[in-house]
Amino acid sequence: MATTDAHRLALQSFLSRGVMSTSEVKELHKKACQTFNVNFENTMECLRNFLEKINENISSVGMEIRSKKDEETGKLMFALVMTNESQLGRLSSDYQKNDLELFKKILDLIVEAESGCVSSTDVLNLASHLKEKMSKQDAQNILSRLIKENWLTESQGEISLAPRAIMELEHYLTDVYEEDIRHCHLCKEIAIKGQWCPCGLKLHIFCAARLFRGKDDCRCPGCKDVWEFEIPSDDRATNSASNKDTANSATTGRKRKDRL
Amino acid sequence: MKFLDPASMGAAILLLRLSTSLIIVTTMPRVPASSQRQSQKSQARKGRPRNVVDAAASSDSDDDYFQVNGTQAASQSQTQSMTQAEKAAAKLTPELIERKVGELVQYLLIMEQRKIPVRRGDITKNILKEYRTILPHVLERAKRKLKSAFGLELVEILHKTGKTTIKMYILLNKIDAEKQGVFLDSSRDDPKVGLLITVLSIIFMSGGAVNEPVLWHTLKKLGIKQDEKNHEVFGDVKKLLTSEFASKQMYLDYSRIPNTDPAAYQFKWGIRAQTECTKRKVLDFVCQMYGNDMDVKTWKEQYREVLQSESTGDNDEDNSESSEKDESSDESD
């Protein structure tokens, strides 16, 4: 498949939006192909080929469209990232030096927290610990911006790393934090948020759901102790590997009650 | 200025998304401070200042080169007798050049998001550093890559300030403007673009230059005041026009009228507007504002200018067809 204006426009869209959900990407793919009369099929395979073509074109300039599941919802997200491991990737050029200092301290907190979440109050208190002190209001503004631009997510006062940040900063995180960055025992991907056992084993929420599906007696795969967390229901649509999804499978939401 | 009907112009500022050609890839709020890209590998820094994109990784390629060419000792004595330029050229591996092309492409894209033109000198300073001899080559490759993968055209602008002329670069979207539609998330900038196009129209209809007081007088009729520092949409309006649109982004040219005392200023189209925006689009806009299906030919003088600019190939429209043929054969980069 040769590169067409559909590919180019989709790429420009990624440049301007940064991160998109699977349904947004599908919509983009469809519109781009239809606008430029490019052969289009409403299948994941067609979409995958489309994205691979774009990646082929941009790999030499150190960019890539990546996908990763949102650690909270399990939904697959797509982001355009810089692959050349420059410290904080895209953030380095979009934010000022002092803002980045704050962000790095937020990262410290998040990585340190087993749950991968920190309270917004703790974040704001960081303002006074910076080399160049900033006011709480400034910190609040930066925090709001980070959330708005999809680097962090906020839910009920708890701040965590958004999929876009994990995709963009994966190298940085493993470089800087080394063993403090855990990986999911099941899928082997980086796991900031999730469930864990005191023995050190960690699982994504949706990986735990898959691992323990249908089991009455849930035990840690490592140390065999009882798994202390509540197992969420395994939502097939969000958990299956992205490539097998067809365009029409909607995420059905958690209608079934939790098993435990 | 009597040609503008205040009511319809006011609506236009708020609602009209005409200038898709002016919105290339814009979302991120514009950060006034200069971009500070951190160096690539923190380990390989060797005491260089942590400023923008560092050629830190080049140390790896140096070693590769020396190993390929015999013992370390022999290579060292060789390099001692070479000139600086030769040394630099000798260290160039295809990998390094490719990396520089990548860095340049990223740099251009990021600066373009903020609508800040890139100076040729900045490229040397921030990206190439000691490899400045390969600038033309790297620039050419970046240009090809931007077109083939992104559909963006790298345009060189000659910017004259006083006696000196410097080269600057901006990116233009070569993909059909009408088709861009909903793809690009430019909602954040719409009102500003509406204001910009209004100002460009006023300038165009005034024959290419408008005195500052006259411009403000016209804008006042649209509810925009010169001394308004806290306009709910535009903030400090004067600063927006004279600083952001003019000096920074070069959509407008805000310059002093010679031989005026006290100093009087005028607004003209800036370089970016000249390259990105066509006179025809602006005239279309003006006619739309008047409504009643007004025809562009009503404005004889301006229409003549439109035709003239199109026939002399001021705009890139004439060039776009021939350049498309290059794209299909140019996949490998």
Side-chain angles (χ1 to χ4, degrees), chain A residues 3 8-9 11-13 15-16 28 31 36 57 60-62 82 84-85 87 90 92-94 96 149, chain B residues 27 29 31 33 36 38 40 102 106 110 113-114 145 147-151 173 175 179 183 185 331 333:
Chain A
T3 306
R8 296 181 187 109
L9 203 53
L11 178 55
Q12 286 190 23
S13 192
L15 267 173
S16 80
L28 175 66
K31 277 216 179 101
F36 295 101
N57 294 337
S60 64
V61 297
M82 313 284 193
N84 49 11
E85 303 152 34
Q87 280 239 320
R90 183 71 184 259
S92 304
S93 33
D94 287 347
Q96 306 210 32
E149 293 179 0
Chain B
T27 41
V31 177
Q36 282 266 319
Q38 314 243 342
Q40 287 192 350
Q106 287 183 15
I110 287 166
Q113 285 224 316
R114 303 194 219 156
K145 176 57 72 175
K147 186 179 271 184
S148 68
F150 295 84
N173 200 342
I175 299 179
K179 293 182 175 169
F183 296 118
D185 177 25
E331 288 294 295
D333 231 350

Side-chain angles (χ1 to χ4, degrees), chain B residues 49-280:
Chain B
R50 260 233 248 140
N51 211 8
V52 294
V53 182
D54 205 345
S58 63
S59 52
D60 294 333
S61 48
D62 289 353
D63 292 335
D64 287 343
Y65 180 85
F66 284 138
Q67 274 159 22
V68 165
N69 282 287
T71 65
Q72 193 110 24
S75 320
Q76 274 174 357
S77 59
Q78 271 179 352
T79 51
Q80 271 155 19
S81 56
M82 286 194 231
T83 64
Q84 274 287 24
E86 284 172 324
K87 269 192 223 173
K91 287 182 195 170
L92 294 173
T93 60
E95 292 81 30
L96 177 70
I97 297 180
E98 178 142 303
R99 195 182 316 130
K100 288 298 170 192
V101 173
E103 288 172 20
L104 179 57
V105 167
Q106 287 183 15
Y107 183 61
L108 289 166
L109 287 170
I110 287 166
M111 293 301 268
E112 185 58 34
Q113 285 224 316
R114 303 194 219 156
K115 292 282 179 261
I116 299 174
V118 173
R119 289 161 199 257
R120 201 172 163 104
D122 286 343
I123 297 177
T124 309
K125 190 169 72 159
N126 299 335
I127 309 287
L128 292 177
K129 301 187 193 176
E130 66 263 42
Y131 300 105
R132 55 170 57 106
T133 45
I134 56 169
L135 174 62
H137 176 69
V138 170
L139 201 57
E140 180 59 35
R141 281 184 61 176
K143 183 173 177 175
R144 274 189 274 148
K145 176 57 72 175
L146 283 164
K147 186 179 271 184
S148 68
F150 295 84
L152 296 171
E153 170 108 30
L154 182 68
V155 173
E156 185 177 278
I157 296 173
L158 297 172
H159 181 54
K160 295 189 176 75
T161 44
K163 295 210 171 95
T164 51
T165 307
I166 51 173
K167 287 186 182 169
M168 299 177 115
Y169 299 93
I170 60 170
L171 297 179
L172 291 188
N173 200 342
K174 291 314 283 178
I175 299 179
D176 196 343
E178 266 96 63
K179 293 182 175 169
Q180 286 168 33
V182 296
F183 296 118
L184 307 175
D185 177 25
S186 49
S187 49
R188 225 172 282 176
D189 289 315
D190 273 343
K192 280 190 185 166
V193 173
L195 175 61
L196 176 61
I197 255 217
T198 308
V199 173
L200 289 174
S201 312
I202 297 171
I203 297 170
F204 179 53
M205 301 307 277
S206 313
V210 67
N211 292 336
E212 186 171 6
V214 175
L215 178 70
W216 289 116
H217 181 71
T218 316
L219 289 177
K220 192 170 170 188
K221 290 189 196 164
L222 304 170
I224 296 172
K225 297 187 198 139
Q226 178 172 5
D227 44 13
E228 178 80 65
K229 294 235 164 36
N230 282 310
H231 191 279
E232 54 181 351
V233 178
F234 303 119
D236 183 343
V237 187
K238 175 153 183 178
K239 194 169 171 196
L240 179 63
L241 292 192
T242 59
S243 174
E244 193 169 329
F245 284 157
S247 356
K248 242 178 88 183
Q249 297 180 2
M250 304 188 149
Y251 277 113
L252 299 176
D253 178 342
Y254 177 65
S255 54
R256 192 171 155 170
I257 304 172
N259 304 321
T260 51
D261 186 25
Y265 291 83
Q266 63 181 350
F267 282 91
K268 290 191 267 194
W269 278 31
I271 298 173
R272 197 188 272 275
Q274 289 168 30
T275 326
E276 281 185 17
C277 199
T278 64
K279 289 180 174 164
R280 182 178 282 273

Side-chain angles (χ1 to χ4, degrees), chain A residues 134-169:
Chain A
M134 67 165 70
S135 68
K136 282 235 170 84
Q137 185 54 50
D138 283 340
Q140 178 62 64
N141 291 340
I142 296 168
L143 182 61
S144 302
R145 186 181 163 199
L146 286 164
I147 294 169
K148 191 167 183 198
E149 293 179 0
N150 296 307
W151 300 108
L152 297 174
T153 48
E154 194 226 326
S155 163
Q156 295 165 337
E158 293 283 299
I159 311 282
S160 53
L161 273 184
R164 184 183 189 191
I166 300 179
M167 282 187 259
E168 185 92 32
L169 304 175

